[in-house]
Amino acid sequence: MKVLVTGGTGYIGSHTCVELIEAGHEPIVLDNLCNSNPESLHRVAQITGCDTIPFIEGDVCDENVLHEVFRKHPDIKCVIHFAGLKAVGESVSMPLQYYRNNLLSTMSLCRVMQQYGVKKIIFSSSATVYSGDNEMPLRESSKTGNCTNPYGWTKYMCEQILRDIAKADPEWSVVLLRYFNPVGAHKSGLIGEHPNGIPNNLMPFISQTAIGKREKLSVFGNDYDTHDGTGVRDYIHVVDLARGHVAAANYMMDHPGESVFNLGTGTGYSVLDMVTAFEQANGVNVPYVIAPRRDGDLATCYADPAKSRQELGWEAQFNQVDMCRDAWNWQSKNPNGYDA
Ligand code: NAD
Ligand code: UD1
């Protein structure tokens, strides 16, 4: 089946293209390259043995571009919408840019999809939509809202927009996937995460410290109510996450309406657990210092993945060692990401 993948040159999108192709689907990628490099798609082709991956460089907010894509590919069956801005700190300093890009892209996309009768969409949401006062593990029915930054609100609002679209027209099928903490890379080491500038997230920071690009990791707080005082998260291998999208695409074909699924493993690891696992899996050193807590951070956040297992038939396969090994394989083979 032909699948339009917005944001498909990015970190999760490129891994999802690999898994779509390996499951026999045909991804068509639309991306404006604001946070990615088209080289990722050459690598996807290399991994999968495809000649090329159809790619359109353009902005999902631009309805003219979207018309062009759907006219050129009248047999698109569904859309996976990864395109979005995702840096939490940046969203606090540039809220308008985040609201505009993330909301307008989703609304423009759905408007044009509707005109071409394509009414199946998978949306990249985040565990960040859950309210901070829930008990763990987080279930899809846990309370949402009280987001701590504009990025989180854009995910919350897009979920609401998509839910309303599905309510208004029973032909729509909307799957909201709430990702926990995607890490790691494809085992080939050909594709992976390439953050711009100083990484905000833990795993890329650990990898860049191990390779010597950063002097040391700052561990944000060691006085949380967790087993070692550092923050606990549900890290999930990006290939598992990508496979969750293939499962969701299949599910969507005979499940109209709105559905929401957690994509996590159900296991939480602390910052120091991840540092130790990374050092042991790869035989490297990750120097660190304890720093003050980061604003907006929770002590603990992990998923209950039971609903995904039961309804999507999907479950994470990779463990913490796999995540650390594959993250390092990518980092050490591509110290500058996709830049030559
Ligand atoms: P990424 O930045 O690597 O990929 C996003 C892609 O979207 C990039 O290639 C970027 O160029 C593109 N893009 C952004 N705005 C666009 C627009 N208006 N038109 C066309 N292309 C546009 O990020 P990722 O980590 O692969 O994340 C993919 C999605 O998953 C995002 O929506 C993100 O918010 C969401 N998400 C990511 C994480 C995470 O930890 N990586 C966690 C939860 C949710
Ligand atoms: C963050 C975002 C979340 C987003 C997710 C994926 C915040 C508050 N939340 O989640 O909205 O969906 O990324 O992009 O930014 N840590 C360190 N040192 C570092 C970096 C991180 O100690 O240099 C710690 C954090 O305090 C946290 C854990 O590592 O305990 C994971 O952090 P991170 O990778 O940024 O993910 P989240 O905070 O879970």
Side-chain angles (χ1 to χ4, degrees):
M1 132 176 112
K2 263 198 191 173
V3 183
L4 175 62
V5 182
T6 75
T9 56
Y11 173 46
I12 305 171
S14 56
H15 286 82
T16 301
C17 286
V18 169
E19 298 307 314
L20 284 168
I21 293 166
E22 291 190 342
H25 302 302
E26 282 177 71
I28 293 151
V29 171
L30 170 61
D31 201 304
N32 64 1
L33 304 178
C34 69
N35 195 38
S36 55
N37 189 316
E39 171 62 17
S40 64
L41 292 187
H42 298 136
R43 309 274 183 100
V44 170
Q46 199 180 333
I47 292 168
T48 56
C50 283
D51 288 342
T52 50
I53 317 295
F55 171 59
I56 303 103
E57 182 177 344
D59 192 325
V60 186
C61 299
D62 183 343
E63 292 194 11
N64 293 326
V65 169
L66 292 165
H67 279 288
E68 233 173 83
V69 172
F70 283 98
R71 265 200 301 265
K72 194 167 167 209
H73 300 279
D75 43 356
I76 289 173
K77 289 275 176 296
C78 69
V79 178
I80 308 183
H81 181 36
F82 291 108
L85 299 175
K86 64 162 184 178
V88 171
E90 192 179 69
S91 80
V92 174
S93 53
M94 299 194 252
L96 265 179
Q97 195 166 322
Y98 271 67
Y99 284 115
R100 185 184 182 281
N101 190 70
N102 292 3
L103 298 184
L104 191 57
S105 61
T106 303
M107 292 190 285
S108 304
L109 180 61
C110 290
R111 268 168 56 90
V112 176
M113 284 172 67
Q114 186 140 29
Q115 291 172 41
Y116 290 82
V118 180
K119 297 184 177 179
K120 293 183 170 56
I121 186 168
I122 297 173
F123 177 68
S124 293
S125 190
S126 165
T128 200
V129 301
Y130 288 115
S131 174
D133 54 2
N134 283 298
E135 277 181 24
M136 296 297 137
L138 293 165
R139 299 194 171 82
E140 288 80 354
S141 54
S142 297
K143 199 166 119 195
T144 58
N146 298 322
C147 300
T148 52
N149 53 73
Y151 165 72
W153 281 118
T154 68
K155 293 296 174 191
Y156 178 90
M157 290 175 188
C158 284
E159 282 202 2
Q160 187 59 44
I161 291 167
L162 290 164
R163 206 172 278 128
D164 287 340
I165 292 172
K167 205 185 282 174
D169 177 351
E171 284 180 9
W172 272 87
S173 179
V174 164
V175 178
L176 310 172
L177 296 180
R178 294 181 180 154
Y179 311 158
F180 281 69
N181 291 61
V183 296
H186 189 267
K187 67 175 189 300
S188 61
L190 285 168
I191 55 174
E193 187 172 14
H194 178 36
N196 264 334
I198 301 172
N200 298 303
N201 296 118
L202 179 65
M203 272 301 257
F205 208 106
I206 289 180
S207 301
Q208 291 197 6
T209 306
I211 208 158
K213 283 184 120 179
R214 312 273 156 214
E215 192 193 339
K216 52 187 179 287
L217 168 74
S218 294
V219 175
F220 297 142
N222 67 347
D223 54 356
Y224 285 107
D225 182 16
T226 62
H227 66 274
D228 61 13
T230 66
V232 167
R233 295 291 183 276
D234 187 337
Y235 297 94
I236 173 167
H237 196 295
V238 65
V239 172
D240 276 329
L241 191 78
R243 289 177 184 166
H245 293 75
V246 178
N250 294 333
Y251 173 91
M252 216 166 34
M253 293 304 138
D254 48 11
H255 289 84
E258 174 244 339
S259 327
V260 51
F261 295 104
N262 283 338
L263 293 183
T265 66
T267 303
Y269 291 110
S270 73
V271 176
L272 293 182
D273 290 338
M274 293 306 282
V275 169
T276 308
F278 195 93
E279 290 182 327
Q280 286 175 355
N282 301 313
V284 293
N285 267 330
V286 180
Y288 68 84
V289 287
I290 303 297
R293 289 182 177 195
R294 181 174 67 180
D295 269 359
D297 270 355
L298 294 174
T300 303
C301 175
Y302 59 94
D304 179 345
K307 186 178 178 218
S308 301
R309 187 171 58 238
Q310 285 153 12
E311 295 184 29
L312 292 181
W314 168 90
E315 190 170 17
Q317 304 295 321
F318 295 104
N319 62 26
Q320 191 193 25
V321 174
D322 301 321
M323 299 175 204
C324 293
R325 185 200 54 225
D326 293 341
W328 179 240
N329 186 37
W330 154 255
Q331 176 71 64
S332 48
K333 284 183 175 157
N334 307 270
N336 298 313
Y338 294 113
D339 301 339

